[in-house]
Every structure is written in structure tokens, then in C-alpha cells.
Amino acid sequence: MSERDLKTSFDALPGRVDGAAVLDPSTGIEHGDTAPPSGTAGAAGRPRRVAGLRRPASARARSAVDQVVLGFAGFVGLFALWAAIAAVSPDLPTPAESLSALSDLLAEPFHDNGPNDKGIGIQLMTSLQRVFIGFALALVVAIPVGFAMGASRQAWSAFNPVVQLLRPVSPLAWFPLGLVVLKAAPAAAIFVIFITSIWPTLLNTAFGVASVPESHKNVARVFRFSKFKYTRHVLLPYSLPSMVTGMRISMGIAWMVIVAAEMLSGGTGIGFFVWDAYNASNLANVAAAIFLIGIVGVALDFAFGKLQARVQYKEVV
Amino acid sequence: MSLEIMGVRKTFHTKSGAQPVLRGVDLEIEKGEFVSIIGHSGCGKSTLLNVIGGLEGADEGKVVLDGFRVEGPGPDRAIVFQNYSLLPWMSVYDNVVEAALSARPDRKSDATRDIAEKYLRSTGLWLHRDKKPGEISGGMRQRTAVARAFAVGPKVLLLDEPFGALDALTRSNLQQQLIDLWSHEDDTETVLMVTHGIDEAIFLADRIVVMANPPKPSVAEIIEVKIERPRDKAELPKDPEYQRIRERLVYLLERELVTPQTNEQEAA
């Protein structure tokens, strides 16, 4: 079956991911986003229990407490390790220094005293704005091309070799080209985000569209759905979960890449802030920025997780 | 008029060689008839149904419905699939209405909605119309698929092992509902049902087409079921005609039509 072949070749692609599983781009390991391995399962990861067999409320409350306690313990471990390394490497800021740097940064996050002194909030907003613009532009390209690749064998043959060649390239390699053509460093950073965001969304869209089951297609044929109706009521709802999964991965990578892109572009943004703090030997600010970048990343991923849950339907059969 | 299947042949070309699935099928089905098609896996019964439904083309021969040659799917033939084939993101109501609306652009959409409501009510789904297929039982899903097919108002209803995946009691219930729907129906008079079940075939059909696996000819035997309607499921096993047909079908399916290939396929 040709459809199956296509599916298998997709399965072999490292970028393609199902359902709520998320590909960690740094490790290449797929993992569920909300479900911990076992045992200390949070409410979201635990399979639903039949009424009457539910664990008593006290047990559930205990597991929630466990979760908080263990989560806290993880951070304690991180800080202990950090403090130990900082003790032998005096150039590293200690956790305490970094925390005080963080509270200083958050005291006046939106202050603006000219180009060399902007609040951390402004820097983060600048970066977020670039990420959203680059991401939105990428969707304009990735979704139609992904649809075409998934729906037509010719489009697949035409685009796939190009996609496979460009996909593994670090998006930062595109920075010089962006700079030359766009003649502005911030625009080049947006261009880098645009390139970054294309691939996961494109491939997941193509995968979703290509894997519409024969049974859904037969319904459309027997009841003579028009092209529009097929797209609206079969193709789109079927491929939407996979498309949003792709968007979620794209956004996750884009948020990582913007830091590096702004280290190159300079001027403004959280990446510039980190580089600038390093140049000023203010490593406590670097550590504080790492924490804030992580928080924003978690928030972005959470939002896309919500969107994913909204478009997910319950499979029958 | 009638449904005529004339010299239909079809061969699947697979890696293990050519598989002659339909080896010259000739059948004439009268308007108003209920015909069951029974046979082992691999005898081509589902393929025959798909050819009549227009989902697959025949290599040779033709299917003619009321004088018109079947070239593809059409609103005169609705299919109830084995695996329900509901669209999981749509409500029960939308599954029925959207299909009926696009299959019958000639009807006013209000009329189609009324017709859909009628079948949703008669299949007992009206109260569940806003649920998604994932939120209802297997029996209700299959009833939705049946309501969807009837709402199109096809001349011929094609059922592909419609109750195969259901438990025995639900299946029996749905068989009765199908007969009730069909006997109160003016548009849909002819039914063609592929089945694995001997009792189901006798209970529902006016004629039973027994199909054989290759290399035997496709149609092994056609058995008339001369049992008065309405048929009472509880009394049926005592009927001598029922016993005679059942015996014949069991003999055919368990002895005569068992080939090394059917055994192999049943095991697979």
C-alpha cells in the first residue's frame, strides 16, 4: 500500500511526532509532556478510573503533595549542585547572588533608559515579538506546503528532497543571508526564526494530511462530499491535531533559537541581554535570564498544549 | 426494475501474484428484495459490495441499477461500513445530516434535516444527537451509520458485515431494527448485506448468495428463503424451512467450500 509506505517513511523521520508526545529537539527523545513515568503520576497523566474504583480523596491529595514535595526536591538538588560547583569555580555566581540579581531585574522590568539599559521585561517582549512574527510567517509557508505535500504525490516528490536537505541545518547558518538581504540585524533574527519554525509544522501537517484513513475517504466518496466539504469536514479536522503538534514543536525550537540569534544580531532582545551581561561580567544576570527564558518557554508550551487538547478528538474503533 | 450484476470480474495484483477475487459474478436482484451474501474470508464478498457501491471498478462486466450503469458512488446506493466509518470530530447529528445534505443536493436542506431527524428518532439516537461517536456505544455508532444511510433515501442499501463487531444481544436487537426500518420504507426497498453469520443471513434475507473462494466460481449457490414475514426470531429455529436452509448452509460453509486457502485465511 502506497499510503502505508508514505507513513512508514514519515515514521522514520526524526521530526515527526504523534498526539501529545513532544520531541525534545535537544535530545531527540520523544516524551509525553504531562505524564510522568509512573508512580508519582499527576492527575493529567493517570488513566481515568471507573467510578467506585477511584482512590479515596485522601490518597489523591497525598499524591498531589508528593508531587509538589518531589518537584521542590528536584530544584533543591539543582541548587545544591550549582552551589557546589560555584564553590570551586569562583567566577560562577552562587544561587544566592543569582536570586538577588533576579529580584533586582524584576523590580523594574519595563524601565527604559536608552539603548544600553532596558528592563528585562522589555527584552523578553522584544524577543517574543520576533518569535511570533517569524513563527506566523513560517505558518503561512509551512501549512500550505505541508498540505500540498501530504495531499499530492507530485508535490511530495518535488518538496521532500529540499526539505530533507535544509531541515538538519542549524538555522543560525541562515543569519548572514538574512542580514545581507534584509540589511537589518533584527530582521535577520526574525528570518532565522522563520526558517526554524517551518520544518516541524510542515512535516507534521504533511503527515496528518497524508494519513487520512481510507475509511474516512470512503465516507466522503459514498456520500459525495464536494472538494470543499471534504477539506472542511474530513481533511482539516483529521490533520489539525498533527498540525498543532508541529506548531508546538516549532514554537519550542523557535524560543530556543531566538536567544542564539539575538546574540548574533545584538541591540535588543533577551539573547542580546545574556550576551551583554556576559561582556559586563555580570554572570548573575545570565543565570537570572536563564530562569526567565525557561519560564517563558514553559508558558508558551503550556498554551500550545491547551490548543492541542482543544483540537484533539476521540478516535473511534 | 432491478439491480443487475453482469459478468463482473476483478483481479487484485499483489506481491504474491494475481488474485482473481471476482470470477464472473452474475446476479439479478429484484426491487424490494433483501439479499444476504455469505462466504469465507477472501471469497470477494466485500469487493463485490464495493463494486456495486461504485467504490471500486470492475475489470470486466458491469453493474446496472434501474437501467443505468454504475460508474461510481451515487445517492441511489448508500453503504453501511463494517467499521462504522463515522467522522469522530462530528456529532451524531452532523454525521447524519452532513452526509445526507451532500449526497442529496436535489432535496431542500430543511427536508433533509427533517428526514435525518426521522431516522435519528426511529433508531433511538435523537436524545444522543449531540454526542460524538467516541462518546457512544458500538451499537449506537452502528445505528448512526444505518440512520445516515437511510437518510440519503437510496434505492439500494449496501451493508458490509454491519453487525460483525457487536455482541450477540446488541446484534440481534439491531437486526430487528433494520428489518423494521426496511419494512416501513418506501425509498429503500432493496438491501444487499454481506455477512459472516448463518442465522443472521436466514433471518433477514429473501435470498442468500453463497460465495466460494478461488479457484471455484465466485457464486457457489443461491438459496431462496421462503419463510413468511414478519419472522419471529424466537420461533424461527423450529421452522422446518429454516432448519433445512441452515443445514445446507452449514454443509456448504463447513465442508464443501472449505479449501486449504480458506483455512489458511481463517488462521491468518
Side-chain angles (χ1 to χ4, degrees):
Chain A
M1 270 208 124
S2 57
E3 193 196 358
R4 184 156 303 164
D5 292 343
L6 190 57
K7 220 170 171 175
T8 329
S9 73
F10 264 114
D11 285 329
L13 300 179
R16 100 130 204 78
V17 171
D18 279 321
V22 173
L23 184 100
D24 185 330
S26 55
T27 59
I29 295 169
E30 279 184 29
H31 54 81
D33 55 328
T34 48
S38 67
T40 60
R46 203 186 305 129
R48 285 223 183 109
R49 280 156 200 277
V50 184
L53 293 177
R54 282 174 65 146
R55 291 192 303 165
S58 60
R60 270 178 290 137
R62 209 182 311 135
S63 118
V65 170
D66 280 357
Q67 223 187 322
V68 172
V69 169
L70 289 171
F72 188 73
F75 276 102
V76 170
L78 174 70
F79 277 84
L81 186 67
W82 175 7
I85 296 171
V88 288
S89 171
D91 290 338
L92 269 189
T94 64
E97 286 161 13
S98 304
L99 273 174
S100 98
L102 180 64
S103 73
D104 287 349
L105 287 174
L106 291 178
E108 255 187 294
F110 293 102
H111 79 268
D112 188 352
N113 301 333
N116 294 322
D117 185 15
K118 287 188 199 301
I120 188 88
I122 291 178
Q123 305 288 25
L124 282 167
M125 294 307 277
T126 305
S127 299
L128 271 174
Q129 199 185 351
R130 286 176 187 151
V131 163
F132 282 130
I133 294 170
F135 176 77
L137 290 174
L139 295 191
V140 172
V141 174
I143 290 175
V145 175
F147 253 85
M149 282 176 71
S152 133
R153 197 147 268 285
Q154 282 94 334
W156 173 263
S157 307
F159 286 112
N160 190 46
V162 176
V163 171
Q164 295 307 329
L165 179 80
L166 298 183
R167 198 171 57 91
V169 177
S170 166
L172 294 169
W174 292 83
F175 188 83
L177 297 183
L179 203 55
V180 164
V181 172
L182 300 169
K183 312 236 184 297
I190 291 171
F191 175 70
V192 166
I193 294 306
F194 162 75
I195 297 285
T196 305
S197 306
I198 287 177
W199 317 118
T201 303
L202 186 146
L203 287 172
N204 275 270
T205 302
F207 167 73
V209 171
S211 58
V212 175
E214 210 53 42
S215 65
H216 292 341
K217 288 184 192 163
N218 280 341
V219 169
R221 292 174 65 199
V222 166
F223 297 100
R224 292 156 70 90
F225 282 20
S226 62
K227 268 239 162 1
F228 173 78
K229 191 160 190 160
Y230 177 71
T231 308
R232 162 81 182 76
H233 287 300
V234 180
L235 204 52
L236 211 55
Y238 178 81
S239 48
L240 206 53
S242 159
M243 206 188 297
V244 173
T245 301
M247 285 161 60
R248 186 178 183 179
I249 300 169
S250 283
M251 180 52 89
I253 304 177
W255 184 241
M256 291 204 276
V257 167
I258 189 66
V259 176
E262 287 171 344
M263 285 181 177
L264 286 176
S265 73
T268 48
I270 191 67
F272 162 74
F273 177 88
V274 168
W275 197 242
D276 192 48
Y278 162 72
N279 283 330
S281 298
N282 189 349
L283 289 180
N285 269 2
V286 172
I290 286 172
F291 174 76
L292 290 172
I293 293 167
I295 293 286
V296 173
V298 167
L300 286 173
D301 192 59
F302 180 80
F304 273 91
K306 285 278 171 213
L307 182 62
Q308 223 175 3
R310 267 188 83 99
V311 298
Q312 189 61 49
Y313 52 84
K314 195 170 171 208
E315 206 77 59
V316 188
V317 175
Chain B
M1 293 297 264
S2 60
L3 175 66
E4 292 164 277
I5 297 143
M6 292 187 271
V8 167
R9 291 177 179 275
K10 189 167 180 68
T11 301
F12 285 147
H13 299 278
T14 62
K15 277 177 198 152
S16 50
Q19 292 271 343
V21 197
L22 297 175
R23 302 167 300 285
V25 179
D26 289 285
L27 280 176
E28 200 171 325
I29 295 161
E30 293 301 320
K31 194 171 186 175
E33 245 193 314
F34 195 127
V35 173
S36 289
I37 303 175
I38 197 165
H40 288 286
S41 298
C43 71
K45 53 192 192 300
S46 290
T47 307
L48 178 61
L49 205 74
N50 286 343
V51 169
I52 299 169
L55 285 175
E56 291 181 50
D59 297 342
E60 272 179 56
K62 58 183 175 180
V63 176
V64 177
L65 176 59
D66 285 355
F68 291 98
R69 184 170 178 166
V70 165
E71 307 275 9
D76 47 1
R77 287 150 292 132
I79 304 181
V80 174
F81 297 98
Q82 196 177 353
N83 55 1
Y84 318 121
S85 284
L86 301 176
L87 300 175
W89 43 82
M90 274 189 193
S91 68
V92 164
Y93 182 81
D94 285 344
N95 263 288
V96 174
V97 168
E98 291 298 337
L101 282 174
S102 61
R104 293 295 300 272
D106 55 313
R107 282 194 310 220
K108 283 216 161 69
S109 53
D110 283 345
T112 293
R113 287 199 177 85
D114 290 344
I115 291 165
E117 177 173 346
K118 175 183 139 194
Y119 287 109
L120 283 168
R121 286 192 188 279
S122 58
T123 48
L125 290 163
W126 186 246
L127 292 176
H128 305 283
R129 64 187 179 280
D130 293 329
K131 292 184 181 161
K132 300 273 166 68
E135 299 161 351
I136 58 178
S137 68
M140 287 163 83
R141 280 177 211 152
Q142 196 54 294
R143 263 145 59 200
T144 308
V146 169
R148 177 173 68 182
F150 272 106
V152 171
K155 288 177 186 160
V156 180
L157 182 63
L158 303 168
L159 302 151
D160 188 3
E161 293 184 37
F163 312 130
L166 303 170
D167 67 89
L169 291 177
T170 309
R171 190 185 310 142
S172 166
N173 208 330
L174 282 183
Q175 287 165 359
Q176 191 61 54
Q177 279 198 15
L178 175 65
I179 282 293
D180 291 346
L181 276 174
W182 172 62
S183 51
H184 289 103
E185 190 52 54
D186 302 322
D187 296 333
T188 307
E189 297 179 317
T190 310
V191 180
L192 208 62
M193 181 178 78
V194 163
T195 179
H196 264 125
I198 289 176
D199 295 310
E200 179 171 277
I202 310 173
F203 174 63
L204 293 172
D206 297 313
R207 276 198 295 166
I208 301 170
V209 176
V210 185
M211 287 181 72
N213 290 57
K216 291 186 171 130
S218 278
V219 177
E221 196 162 311
I222 299 178
I223 300 173
E224 299 246 2
V225 183
K226 290 182 183 142
I227 302 175
E228 282 290 306
R229 291 181 195 272
R231 296 168 185 171
D232 182 342
K233 224 173 178 167
E235 296 296 324
L236 211 52
K238 296 177 201 156
D239 191 306
E241 172 75 354
Y242 177 89
Q243 289 166 2
R244 187 187 67 76
I245 295 167
R246 195 173 198 288
E247 212 165 286
R248 179 66 188 153
L249 283 173
V250 171
Y251 173 77
L252 282 171
L253 294 169
E254 301 294 331
R255 283 276 183 285
E256 199 167 308
L257 298 181
V258 176
T259 63
Q261 200 192 346
T262 60
N263 284 332
E264 192 182 299
Q265 272 163 354
E266 299 295 328

